[in-house]
Amino acid sequence: MKICMIVEGCYPYVTGGVSTWVHEFIRSFSRQEFILLTIVSDRSVSGKFLYQLPENVTEVHELYLQDVDWNRKGWRKARLNKEEYQAMRSLVLNQKTNWEVLIQLFQNSGISLDRLLMGEDFMKIVREYYDLKYSQLVFSDFLWTMRSLYLPLLFTLKMKIPKADLYHCVATGYAGVLGSMGKVLNGGSLLISEHGIYTREREEELLRAEWVKGAFKNIWIEQFRKMSALAYERADLVTSLYEHARELQVELGCPVEKTMVTPNGVRADIMQNLPGKAEESAGRINIGAILRVTSIKDVKTLIQAFSFARERDARLKLWIMGPCDEDEAYARECFEQAEALELGEDVVFTGRINVRDYLGRMDMTILTSISEGQPLTILESFAAHIPVIATDVGNCRGLICGEKDDFGEAGIVTHIMNVEEIAQAMLDMARNDKMRRTMGENGYRRVMAGYRIGQMRENYWEIYKDFSESRGLPWEENPPVER
């Protein structure tokens, strides 16, 4: 079976939980041919892979959301026929949209995106939308916002989609649009595996964003909702990592009969017998934060909370373990914050690491994220018998407190950006060795019961097998064997 794996803003350019999942997933199905269709911001990152691609990845295609309208000379004028105009109008006005017409328009007509967005038809449609809902805004600002809003979507609709038997999207959004296009244009099946709920994540980002103000936030949020709605409508199967995420998908319009929960999994065996504390750490309480140093991980709150906790317990040491080059400006602010708080050697930024080299040295791990799905770092900590402090986002509460078992709490859940609460959680855990050990064992039992890599692979082995057989293709992949 030929599978087109569609990812946005992660693999193979960025390390982290989703990228690692994609990499190991492709390796797990070594007898299948994978085509990688990856969505990135612009051409500056083209080909700059941080992973060595598995041998069964035969092609890589890149979509640039921030690009230029190439080869405009000779393209047809940007006037739409009646059917095309109605399809574009319904899209902008958030009405039932004939996506087939739009896909064919941008795939086959050679229309200039610049001329369309600057042209009379788009101006007329935007003016109608403005008069209906946003007449309190300055029209010139509204018009330019709509142009900037639609350009990346139109680049997506112009993307040439490689032929595949199955389009497997690791998000909705632009990836979901590409997967839907593959189904329309090439007749492939469509599988969506959401690690976080894309629409909700974009809403959270937009509500905090400073680059977009007031009512313009709502316009952007509507755009992401309509793209996700297309993906849910066209998908044959939509998976999520935990039950509440599945409920959110249904709430956002995904037919319930298409949904399925497939939890993440980790290799618990490689998290055993890890190197322990070095001699110089004797008497210290090590707190590990395994993350990318980016704003969505809210490292600034973590550093501030650690500073408060350290004032009351000098044994504490914070290890921030992960890449600092994804958002260099934010990382510099974190370095400067630690320096301004005079934390000295009590805060260590390690950069990229092999988790196994450090995890066994930690007394606890911590996540202060403002958005998560089902974090692999929590599962890895549990596999290493280490308790976790985490903010109440995504499935963090379900992992720590349990959903379908009575193993007991495996850490402490805090509210987002609550510095005092997070600091107190560090202190409570640092001062109670027995509680840490008990919570670590609870987490280990939880991982072994429901979050092992073999269980996840078995779920997807069955899913892929069903898709292959539904297309009359031979299925020769060996059943998964947990290592």
Side-chain angles (χ1 to χ4, degrees):
M1 183 166 61
K2 183 180 287 188
I3 303 155
C4 181
M5 181 73 78
I6 307 176
V7 295
E8 178 182 339
C10 55
Y11 186 77
Y13 310 91
V14 178
T15 59
V18 176
S19 292
T20 299
W21 186 92
V22 172
H23 185 71
E24 294 300 326
F25 188 96
I26 293 173
R27 293 178 61 194
S28 296
F29 292 92
S30 59
R31 295 192 178 185
Q32 310 308 308
E33 177 186 352
F34 282 85
I35 299 169
L36 188 62
L37 177 47
T38 181
I39 304 167
V40 293
S41 58
D42 55 56
R43 293 174 184 265
S44 67
V45 300
S46 179
K48 296 179 180 178
F49 302 162
L50 297 182
Y51 292 81
Q52 182 175 347
L53 299 183
E55 292 182 358
N56 55 328
V57 175
T58 59
E59 301 173 32
V60 178
H61 300 261
E62 296 175 325
L63 167 63
Y64 315 105
L65 294 180
Q66 299 173 24
D67 207 6
V68 294
D69 194 4
W70 299 98
N71 302 319
R72 286 171 286 176
K73 290 185 179 180
W75 288 11
R76 81 172 217 195
K77 292 183 179 179
R79 294 307 301 269
L80 306 176
N81 64 35
K82 183 177 181 180
E83 186 180 40
E84 293 165 347
Y85 183 91
Q86 181 56 38
M88 179 61 71
R89 177 182 177 275
S90 63
L91 176 64
V92 174
L93 270 62
N94 298 315
Q95 298 173 351
K96 185 173 177 57
T97 300
N98 191 332
W99 282 95
E100 282 83 356
V101 169
L102 293 176
I103 290 169
Q104 295 297 337
L105 167 65
F106 292 103
Q107 285 285 305
N108 301 323
S109 68
I111 192 169
S112 165
L113 303 187
D114 286 350
R115 291 179 183 177
L116 173 64
L117 293 176
M118 300 297 290
E120 180 180 339
D121 287 337
F122 189 73
M123 166 79 84
K124 184 178 178 181
I125 292 169
V126 169
R127 184 76 207 198
E128 181 180 359
Y129 186 43
Y130 172 83
D131 289 339
L132 281 171
K133 292 191 65 176
Y134 294 103
S135 58
Q136 76 278 12
L137 302 176
V138 176
F139 180 70
S140 59
D141 293 342
F142 184 80
L143 176 60
W144 280 105
T145 294
M146 295 298 286
R147 286 169 174 159
S148 64
L149 182 84
Y150 275 92
L151 185 58
L153 176 57
L154 301 191
F155 276 130
T156 302
L157 291 170
K158 282 186 68 67
M159 180 74 185
K160 296 303 178 184
I161 308 296
K163 290 184 178 180
D165 300 302
L166 174 64
Y167 295 90
H168 188 172
C169 305
V170 191
T172 56
Y174 297 106
V177 173
L178 291 175
S180 301
M181 291 167 61
K183 188 169 185 178
V184 170
L185 296 169
N186 301 324
S189 301
L190 178 56
L191 167 64
I192 297 172
S193 297
E194 286 201 275
H195 288 248
I197 303 303
Y198 184 93
T199 305
R200 290 297 174 89
E201 291 177 344
R202 300 295 80 76
E203 287 180 12
E204 292 169 1
E205 290 174 359
L206 286 163
L207 291 173
R208 297 191 311 272
E210 296 183 359
W211 60 269
V212 58
K213 304 292 184 181
F216 293 112
K217 293 180 185 286
N218 296 332
I219 298 170
W220 275 97
I221 289 170
E222 287 174 352
Q223 185 77 340
F224 289 119
R225 284 179 176 171
K226 67 183 72 171
M227 289 192 292
S228 292
L230 167 66
Y232 289 146
E233 176 189 338
R234 300 306 171 101
D236 296 289
L237 179 66
V238 180
T239 71
S240 55
L241 295 177
Y242 52 100
E243 178 59 26
H244 182 57
R246 189 192 68 80
E247 293 169 355
L248 289 175
Q249 290 170 335
V250 173
E251 182 181 315
L252 290 165
C254 184
V256 65
E257 65 272 12
K258 293 183 179 183
T259 61
M260 178 180 181
V261 175
T262 56
N264 260 334
V266 293
R267 285 190 60 189
D269 61 313
I270 66 172
M271 293 300 170
Q272 308 306 306
N273 303 313
L274 300 177
K277 286 185 180 180
E279 289 185 10
E280 60 269 22
S281 293
R284 301 301 299 266
I285 299 294
N286 287 333
I287 305 171
I290 305 167
L291 46 75
R292 294 170 289 115
V293 183
T294 59
S295 59
I296 201 166
K297 302 299 182 180
D298 199 11
V299 182
K300 291 183 180 178
T301 291
L302 170 61
I303 294 171
Q304 185 69 59
F306 174 77
S307 176
F308 284 1
R310 174 179 164 271
E311 288 179 1
R312 288 175 274 176
D313 192 333
R315 297 175 301 160
L316 300 183
K317 184 168 185 173
L318 176 63
W319 300 74
I320 298 176
M321 300 174 283
C324 301
D325 54 0
E326 185 174 326
D327 186 340
E328 293 181 351
Y330 183 81
R332 281 196 302 274
E333 292 172 5
C334 293
F335 302 154
E336 292 167 0
Q337 180 187 19
E339 184 176 353
L341 292 171
E342 299 181 348
L343 296 175
E345 296 181 354
D346 288 339
V347 172
V348 179
F349 291 87
T350 66
R352 284 186 174 83
I353 61 163
N354 182 333
V355 173
R356 295 187 72 255
D357 294 337
Y358 284 82
L359 189 55
R361 300 158 62 181
M362 300 299 124
D363 295 284
M364 68 192 85
T365 61
I366 188 167
L367 273 180
T368 53
S369 305
I370 53 181
S371 181
E372 286 286 353
Q374 190 179 71
L376 285 173
T377 182
I378 293 182
L379 297 178
E380 289 172 340
S381 297
F382 289 171
H385 306 260
I386 296 172
V388 176
I389 298 168
T391 43
D392 193 4
V393 293
N395 193 217
C396 293
R397 177 176 292 277
L399 293 178
I400 289 175
C401 299
E403 294 175 308
K404 297 180 180 180
D405 63 56
D406 57 358
F407 296 137
E409 294 181 352
I412 299 174
V413 181
T414 72
H415 291 93
I416 298 171
M417 301 181 74
N418 191 319
V419 173
E420 292 185 0
E421 190 176 347
I422 295 167
Q424 189 60 50
M426 294 182 194
L427 291 168
D428 290 345
M429 200 168 282
R431 293 169 177 172
N432 194 327
D433 293 349
K434 182 179 179 181
M435 181 177 74
R436 291 200 308 273
R437 289 194 299 272
T438 299
M439 287 181 167
E441 291 307 308
N442 293 346
Y444 177 74
R445 290 192 295 162
R446 184 160 293 134
V447 161
M448 296 305 291
Y451 300 95
R452 289 178 287 113
I453 191 72
Q455 295 165 313
M456 185 197 77
R457 287 175 176 163
E458 184 176 347
N459 287 334
Y460 275 99
W461 189 87
E462 292 289 348
I463 289 170
Y464 270 16
K465 179 175 179 287
D466 287 346
F467 275 115
S468 181
E469 292 178 347
S470 71
R471 302 184 67 82
L473 299 171
W475 180 249
E476 299 176 347
E477 194 76 45
N478 292 326
V481 176
E482 187 160 4
R483 295 171 291 171

